[in-house]
Amino acid sequence: MNTDAELLRRYANDHSEAAFTELVQRHIGLVYSCALRGVGHDAHLAEDVTQKVFCDLARKASSLLTRPALSGWLYVGTHHAAAAVVRQERRRKVREEHAFIMENILHPAASGPDPDWSRLRPLLDELILELNEADRDAVILRFFEKRPFAEIAATLHLSEDAARKRADRAVEKLRTRLAERGVTSGMGALAFALAGQAAAAVPVTLATSVTGSALAAAGAGSPLLAALAGVLLSDAAAVVATVLAAAGLIGWQHHATSALQAELTAQENQDREIRTLQQSNLQLARRAAETEVLQRSLAEPAAPRTATVVSLSPPPTAAVNLTVTAQGTLRWENQPVALADFLNRLAALQQQHPDQTARIVIHGNTGVEFGPVSYAVEQASRAGIKNIVIDSQARPDPANNWITPGVTVPGPNDRLPPSLPDTAVHP
């Protein structure tokens, strides 16, 4: 895969539209999410800010060739652009909202629930901007773009161990600065909140629109159109050149949109196949458990003819499936759920079944890290739920488990068996 520096150099030196398009598609999620938070979740203003940031990138490409990480520059530029777009009235409302947060959210009781991260995300953005450039790049690459430490090390020209330590120090600095403002939180909860910072869904056509606007603003286009513009000097010829340029841009946008839609369709089909395989695996595991119970019953001595066969059913169990995605988000019974709503549902589940019949199965999607899985386990345990099943291959890094201090993790041979049938036959 081409690095950001290689793509930027191809665009700056060769005016490669394909290289710039790949840069936009790679980073538009980060820019749009930051813009959305910066303008108070106004989608139209967020799209305007996103276009402005990538137009600036197209114009300043040559001056950015020596930067080790482009993500940090885009993050800072997005916040500056959002501040310029937001008007004075909106800034006043943001200040009032921050005052409300300081009064009602930043001072929870020592034994109370975790902070409301959905309300604290603007504050997290401010604290990230206060970090130095090296720490900020490490946080953005690790938590916003979900890069592995090996790739972060290559981008920042560090060893993998040094990249891991830099990310650790940056998160610790954020936790300390949050504590100075009255927010006390563990490292696992903070890492979970950081992973959710870039979780906004980008409109499907925004990448195409942004790429076309940025290339047009920077003057990058077809060499043929550029030659025609230099030859045709009269007013009438200028109109014809403008029409030709517009037609070429529309054709390019149509091609890019079709390619993007085809890619989205292929991704949806792949996700559907993965869900089908997961359901098949669960059915096979349940049938294997039923077969094992039947084999044990057949191996037992035959009961006297006068014996009575009784079917005993255990008390009903309230089972809930919770999925932790690779992007650090939660799905309650396959429905997206915010962090605050997740905590409320845990409390309600335990209140409805105080007799320890509440049961929660925590699944980890492919590529999920252990930090979010551990956080979900901690919150379920704190809510009083005793029957917790972990269905995930995610394991902590033995050399550096700073996300989940004090949490017991089942080993590879300690996986809980699949659920047994609801009835068992006894002689």
Side-chain angles (χ1 to χ4, degrees), residues 38 83 86-100:
V86 177
R87 299 184 178 174
Q88 185 64 33
E89 179 64 17
R90 187 175 296 276
R91 288 198 296 267
R92 181 183 64 82
K93 292 181 180 180
V94 171
R95 288 195 297 269
E96 292 177 354
E97 183 177 358
H98 283 184
F100 176 81

Side-chain angles (χ1 to χ4, degrees), residues 240-265:
V240 174
T242 302
V243 172
L244 289 174
L249 181 60
I250 291 174
W252 177 84
Q253 288 181 342
H254 177 73
H255 175 73
T257 301
S258 300
L260 182 59
Q261 289 177 345
E263 183 179 351
L264 290 175
T265 301

Side-chain angles (χ1 to χ4, degrees), residues 45 47 81 130 170:
L45 287 179
E47 293 181 9
E130 293 175 4

Side-chain angles (χ1 to χ4, degrees), residues 112-193:
D114 287 343
D116 186 354
W117 292 109
S118 62
R119 303 292 299 274
L120 290 176
R121 284 177 177 174
L123 178 61
L124 272 179
D125 281 327
E126 294 179 5
L127 296 180
I128 293 172
L129 287 172
E130 293 175 4
L131 295 174
N132 59 51
E133 181 177 341
D135 291 341
R136 184 169 57 244
D137 287 345
V139 169
I140 293 171
L141 291 172
R142 178 59 178 165
F143 296 99
F144 283 45
E145 296 189 350
K146 307 296 189 301
R147 304 279 188 92
F149 283 114
E151 188 174 342
I152 296 174
T155 301
L156 301 182
H157 305 293
L158 300 170
S159 66
E160 185 171 348
D161 186 58
R164 187 187 302 273
K165 290 181 179 179
R166 179 170 293 179
D168 290 352
R169 287 195 302 268
V171 174
E172 177 61 25
K173 289 179 182 178
L174 291 176
R175 191 190 67 80
T176 301
R177 294 181 183 182
L178 282 172
E180 293 173 355
R181 288 165 171 78
V183 181
T184 57
S185 173
M187 298 295 287
L190 179 55
F192 192 91

Side-chain angles (χ1 to χ4, degrees), residues 338-398:
L339 182 58
D341 192 19
F342 164 60
L343 299 178
N344 293 335
R345 293 190 183 190
L346 285 177
L349 179 64
Q350 179 60 19
Q351 290 177 359
Q352 294 172 0
H353 302 275
D355 54 353
Q356 299 185 1
T357 60
R359 178 172 181 265
I360 184 167
V361 182
I362 301 177
H363 305 278
N365 280 357
T366 302
V368 69
E369 297 184 356
F370 187 72
V373 175
S374 172
Y375 179 74
V377 175
E378 292 174 359
Q379 296 305 319
S381 178
R382 289 177 59 182
I385 299 175
K386 304 300 183 183
N387 193 354
I388 302 174
V389 179
I390 303 175
D391 182 18
S392 171
Q393 296 297 328
R395 292 291 182 273
D397 185 353

Side-chain angles (χ1 to χ4, degrees), residues 211-226:
T211 304
S213 299
L215 291 174
S222 170
L224 176 60
L225 294 178

